[in-house]
Amino acid sequence: MDKNAIIGAMTALVTPFKNNKIDEQCYAKLIQRQIDNGINAVVPVGTTGESATLTHDEHKACIEIAVEVCKNTKVKVLAGAGSNATHEAVDLAQFARDCGADGILSVAPYYNKPTQKGLYEHYKAIAMSVDIPVLLYNVPGRTGCDIATETAIDLFRTCENIYGIKEASGSIDKCVDLLAHEPKMVLISGEDAINYPILSNGGKGVISVTSNLLPDRISMLTHRALEENYKEAKQINDELYNINKILFCESNPIPIKTAMHIAGLIENLEFRLPLCPPSKENYAKIQEVMKQYNIKGF
């Protein structure tokens, strides 16, 4: 494994709001909490960070804050830098590089449903525009676009700085297929419920939603698996099953931000429309499941 791969336990950061603006002070505190609880990298402005409804200036501000908080620590910044317009994705990637991010996470273009050829050219253009590591991000349930295994492997073999893929398709078969045909490619889990199966199949890390709430447990799960202590890793994954499931009872990041508000980690339960707070029923369910876990504060 090379290409300066960013691996291990990583958190897909939520973006806290206050009066419809980014709560920058809270955001910095949340990142510091991740650092203090054993996370290897933070991922600002991925889809969990409501990147689709942030302005470009807000998007860039989140990356800057993450880089500043992580400076002089061992925690890396894998900046969300995706778009359904290639020129916008290139601009975000170059900004992330210029402000000191260690790498970028680039979601597959959403809505416009490019062909595999279009995906290949999109990612090749992004990779060629920067000299930092690039992680592909496949989440077809949200984008309506699936990065085929063959396309991912072609990109890995063609572009020196594309080191792997975050797989959030929910398909274990696809994960097995990928590593069976290109074992040097880094596979990162993007589905908390199946973190353990992906890690035990050769995955090199996770980008977790749950770790916004429980960074210490996700960190331990990931590191135990990477140490090949699969028995303990599975035990932790099983313990986290209930919280992993409830955090997707509505569209992400509605449940995780709700859980963090209940835990006192974010002051305001604010979303950017069209996202909105959960139903009363789901709020109560999230609150009840959270009682099963020891959630560390600041």
Side-chain angles (χ1 to χ4, degrees):
M1 182 172 56
D2 50 17
K3 299 191 176 186
N4 298 309
I6 299 170
I7 62 171
M10 299 178 269
T11 300
L13 297 168
V14 301
T15 303
F17 297 118
K18 187 173 184 178
N19 299 320
N20 202 36
K21 295 181 179 180
I22 297 170
D23 188 340
E24 296 187 357
Q25 184 176 4
C26 178
Y27 195 53
K29 285 179 65 180
L30 293 176
I31 295 169
Q32 185 61 51
R33 178 174 173 268
Q34 295 293 317
I35 295 169
D36 294 340
N37 282 280
I39 289 295
N40 299 110
V42 294
V43 185
V45 278
T47 49
T48 301
E50 296 175 76
S51 55
T53 52
L54 297 181
T55 67
H56 280 197
D57 285 344
E58 288 174 327
H59 191 122
K60 292 175 179 179
C62 286
I63 296 173
E64 287 178 320
I65 293 168
V67 169
E68 180 61 29
V69 177
C70 292
K71 187 184 297 182
N72 300 321
T73 75
K74 294 182 180 180
V75 176
K76 295 185 176 182
V77 176
L78 183 66
S83 173
N84 63 343
T86 304
H87 68 92
E88 290 182 357
V90 166
D91 176 69
L92 290 171
Q94 292 176 336
F95 176 85
R97 174 203 59 196
D98 292 345
C99 81
D102 298 284
I104 62 165
L105 174 71
S106 191
V107 70
Y110 42 87
Y111 185 75
N112 42 22
K113 291 188 176 181
T115 63
Q116 293 301 307
K117 173 66 173 173
L119 281 171
Y120 178 87
E121 294 298 339
H122 170 81
Y123 279 119
K124 184 178 178 182
I126 294 168
M128 290 180 65
S129 75
V130 293
D131 55 0
I132 56 176
V134 176
L135 185 67
L136 311 177
Y137 178 13
N138 190 40
V139 57
R142 307 248 346 200
T143 63
C145 175
D146 185 30
I147 305 173
T149 299
E150 296 80 4
T151 303
I153 291 173
D154 284 348
L155 285 163
F156 173 77
R157 292 175 177 172
T158 302
C159 303
E160 289 187 1
N161 54 337
I162 292 179
Y163 74 93
I165 186 167
K166 174 188 174 183
E167 252 302 328
S169 64
S171 172
I172 294 294
D173 180 73
K174 185 160 189 171
C175 295
V176 173
D177 183 24
L178 183 81
L179 292 182
H181 290 92
E182 183 45 86
K184 292 182 180 179
M185 192 168 186
V186 170
L187 174 65
I188 300 294
S189 172
E191 293 267 353
D192 277 307
I194 54 174
N195 281 341
Y196 171 75
I198 290 176
L199 289 167
S200 63
N201 178 59
K204 297 300 181 184
V206 307
I207 294 179
S208 171
V209 172
T210 301
S211 59
N212 279 283
L213 195 65
L214 294 160
D216 53 328
R217 300 306 289 162
I218 292 293
S219 176
M220 186 171 291
L221 160 65
T222 306
H223 295 144
R224 291 296 180 272
L226 294 178
E227 294 161 2
E228 299 185 6
N229 183 347
Y230 295 121
K231 182 177 180 179
E232 189 172 346
K234 185 179 184 302
Q235 287 175 343
I236 299 169
N237 199 75
D238 290 347
E239 290 168 7
L240 294 173
Y241 181 81
N242 290 340
I243 193 72
N244 286 337
K245 295 299 289 185
I246 200 65
L247 290 180
F248 287 87
C249 64
E250 294 191 20
S251 296
N252 182 46
I254 293 172
I256 183 59
K257 289 186 85 170
T258 300
M260 294 175 75
H261 176 66
I262 293 169
L265 297 171
I266 57 175
E267 181 181 354
N268 305 290
L269 187 55
E270 285 190 32
F271 303 87
R272 282 278 171 86
L273 286 170
L275 295 184
C276 62
S279 67
K280 291 182 180 179
E281 293 78 11
N282 281 333
Y283 188 100
K285 289 178 182 177
I286 294 166
Q287 198 168 33
E288 188 62 28
V289 170
M290 287 174 62
K291 294 176 182 178
Q292 302 172 27
Y293 301 93
N294 177 27
I295 299 165
K296 294 185 178 180
F298 294 112

